[in-house]
Amino acid sequence: MNELNTTDILHHLGENDFPFGAVNPPIYQTSIFCYKNFQDFKKAISDEPNNYIYSRGNNPTVNLLEEKIAKLEHGERAKLVSSGISAITNSILSFLKSGDHIVCVKDSYSWTKNLLEKYLPRFGVTHTYVEGTNTQEIIDAVKENTKIIYLESPTTFTFKLQNLKEISDFAKSKNIKTIIDNTWATPIYQNPIDYGIDIVVHSASKYLGGNSDVVAGIIIGKEQDIRHIFQTEFQNIGTVPDPFMAWLILRGIRTLHIRLEKHYENALKIMNFLKQHPKIENVLYPFDPDFPQYELAKKQMKGGSGLMSFKLKTNKIEKVIEFTNRINYFKRAVSWGGYESLIMPYAVTTDNISQELLPLIRIHVGLEDPQLLINDLDEALKII
Ligand SMILES: *Cc1c(COP(=O)(O)O)cnc(C)c1O
């Protein structure tokens, strides 16, 4: 499975026979696919996951991207969907029924938690949150009716890691599915399937797209699991990826490995600047040698991306507001993973914030000149 390298996958896999020798894949902007006769038509319908019938199921532009991401993640198969949260929702729902229980990392993506807290209770599904940094805590949270252990490593505001090998070994022994949100590390820096995790999900709106111009998600796993998701939630809920969006992501991933290297390099420079700054309480970045889970980060991931958090040395919301407004090159926005630097204070997400979270700021370090970004932060920190 691993004989292909990143260049083979990103630039060549599945790209040798485009019509007219085109170097770029066609955008198959079609809803339906036609058959020559009754027999072929019937045969295709009997196995929709492996045939082109209707673009709510498969589409050649979409499938080309899926093939590449599946290989990059060391999985057998992938399914592209119309958002990251749809990738999460489809994979969770597909393996649950009324009365089941799910163990989930407490600091996971906000809409993942919304699914567990507001949506699943309507169908009699319960959950237990865990911090996730200690495997025993996860083992202790599992009940008779636990069907899924849901991970996000690292979490993307508080940067908490889970030990993927320990958790998947335990889950296998209990027949529990493991699902992980791998958006932060990308398949370039972390391949959870190598540690025995069953299903990997990504928000492709982040690094896979890489240009802040698409919303998409992808699910990767074993043939059997992806086929199951295809035939249950995917076809019914219909969060269909369109071929142009797949084409944009195909364009995005050609530079994924190069962009990630630069995000990592820039992030380390910004991290070092922030760490020594007198107005900064602490920095949260898994590849900081002082990070509490640094050893695990190095073991599970080959590198880090551009997203990190830090705490300002203040307990006043006015200071957080002024700092945020002073910043020039970091744009004030949600999301991350594009070429550009972004800033998001935790305080924009809620009115009743705890004293602990009030000074927490998340930044996405983009592909700009790092010195420019450092000067920008330095200038804004003067108001603290
Ligand atoms: C953005 C994000 C999602 C959701 O992805 P969308 O494409 O916005 O639906 C899920 N998980 C993480 C970690 C994210 O950052």
Side-chain angles (χ1 to χ4, degrees):
M1 164 136 293
N2 284 329
E3 72 278 11
L4 292 173
N5 66 33
T6 305
T7 306
D8 287 332
I9 296 167
L10 297 179
H11 298 263
H12 302 289
L13 179 70
E15 298 200 4
N16 33 19
D17 56 356
F18 297 146
F20 309 110
V23 70
N24 272 300
I27 300 170
Y28 284 97
Q29 191 65 43
T30 181
S31 61
I32 55 174
F33 300 85
C34 306
Y35 287 87
K36 291 212 166 60
N37 56 47
F38 178 98
Q39 293 88 335
D40 290 354
F41 194 11
K42 182 154 189 276
K43 193 157 164 269
I45 285 181
S46 73
D47 184 19
E48 180 149 12
N50 290 319
N51 284 284
Y52 296 118
I53 297 167
Y54 187 46
S55 281
R56 172 148 51 76
N58 286 311
N59 172 282
T61 315
V62 169
N63 289 32
L64 177 61
L65 175 66
E66 291 170 352
E67 191 185 349
K68 285 172 185 280
I69 304 280
K71 279 278 190 300
L72 269 187
E73 270 294 15
H74 306 168
E76 291 172 6
R77 190 161 181 173
K79 194 75 213 92
L80 190 70
V81 290
S82 61
S83 67
I85 195 59
S86 164
I88 294 164
T89 304
N90 274 291
S91 8
I92 290 179
L93 293 182
S94 188
F95 296 101
L96 289 178
K97 61 176 187 334
S98 180
D100 287 345
H101 173 255
I102 171 170
V103 172
C104 179
V105 167
K106 179 172 72 82
D107 291 352
S108 54
Y109 181 66
S110 55
W111 287 99
T112 307
K113 294 179 67 168
N114 192 71
L115 175 75
L116 268 52
E117 292 167 16
K118 308 266 168 65
Y119 186 97
L120 288 178
R122 283 167 44 200
F123 303 93
V125 173
T126 53
H127 65 272
T128 303
Y129 284 136
V130 289
E131 172 138 338
T133 48
N134 174 351
T135 304
Q136 191 58 46
E137 184 202 8
I138 295 180
I139 294 172
D140 292 344
V142 164
K143 303 180 186 188
E144 277 293 296
N145 57 341
T146 304
K147 294 293 158 54
I148 294 174
I149 297 176
Y150 185 91
L151 310 172
E152 186 177 313
S153 184
T155 56
T156 56
F157 235 113
T158 53
F159 297 92
K160 290 176 185 161
L161 277 67
Q162 300 101 54
N163 188 316
L164 307 188
K165 177 77 170 63
E166 285 176 9
I167 296 166
S168 80
D169 282 353
F170 165 76
K172 277 191 197 343
S173 76
K174 299 275 177 205
N175 241 332
I176 297 170
K177 281 261 179 262
T178 44
I179 305 176
I180 186 171
D181 185 332
N182 196 30
T183 305
W184 187 81
T186 84
I188 300 296
Y189 285 153
Q190 177 167 261
N191 298 123
I193 289 171
D194 291 351
Y195 295 98
I197 298 291
D198 295 313
I199 290 163
V200 178
V201 293
H202 286 277
S203 167
S205 325
K206 312 290 163 58
Y207 290 115
L208 300 179
N211 285 271
S212 302
D213 55 8
V214 295
V215 174
I218 192 155
I219 311 162
I220 307 103
K222 290 180 205 73
E223 169 71 30
Q224 190 193 337
D225 284 343
I226 299 299
R227 200 185 163 88
H228 175 74
I229 293 169
F230 185 105
Q231 288 172 320
T232 55
E233 270 67 21
F234 175 71
Q235 281 275 47
N236 244 191
I237 293 178
T239 50
V240 178
D242 74 81
F244 180 56
M245 170 255 266
W247 187 90
L248 283 173
I249 302 169
L250 280 164
R251 183 165 77 161
I253 60 169
R254 285 183 200 133
T255 55
L256 181 64
H257 54 314
I258 298 163
R259 284 186 281 116
L260 259 294
E261 246 173 53
K262 179 69 174 163
H263 283 296
Y264 187 28
E265 188 188 312
N266 280 3
L268 289 174
K269 286 184 179 153
I270 304 288
M271 174 198 88
N272 283 323
F273 162 76
L274 290 170
K275 271 183 76 178
Q276 55 74 44
H277 201 287
K279 309 282 179 66
I280 299 291
E281 183 71 38
N282 67 335
V283 180
L284 294 172
Y285 190 68
F287 283 88
D288 173 1
D290 295 326
F291 184 75
Q293 293 179 292
Y294 178 59
E295 290 306 320
L296 182 61
K298 277 198 303 184
K299 199 170 135 212
Q300 291 184 167
M301 299 185 281
K302 297 201 236 6
S305 66
L307 195 75
M308 67 175 74
S309 293
F310 57 88
K311 268 189 190 168
L312 297 170
K313 265 194 192 157
T314 182
N315 51 17
K316 295 197 177 68
I317 186 72
E318 296 76 26
K319 290 287 177 194
V320 173
I321 294 171
E322 213 181 326
F323 172 77
T324 309
N325 292 348
R326 272 245 192 152
I327 290 272
N328 188 22
Y329 287 104
F330 291 80
K331 295 178 174 125
R332 285 155 287 268
V334 296
S335 193
W336 42 277
Y339 56 93
E340 75 286 15
S341 289
L342 300 169
I343 182 164
M344 180 168 175
Y346 194 86
V348 295
T349 64
T350 174
D351 267 338
N352 35 32
I353 193 163
S354 67
Q355 276 301 312
E356 198 204 330
L357 291 173
L358 185 139
L360 186 66
I361 310 278
R362 188 179 77 179
I363 55 171
H364 177 248
V365 179
L367 303 174
E368 299 94 339
D369 175 354
Q371 196 53 49
L372 189 83
L373 301 175
I374 287 172
N375 294 346
D376 196 20
L377 287 164
D378 200 32
E379 228 6 79
L381 282 167
K382 293 203 168 109
I383 64 104
I384 304 288

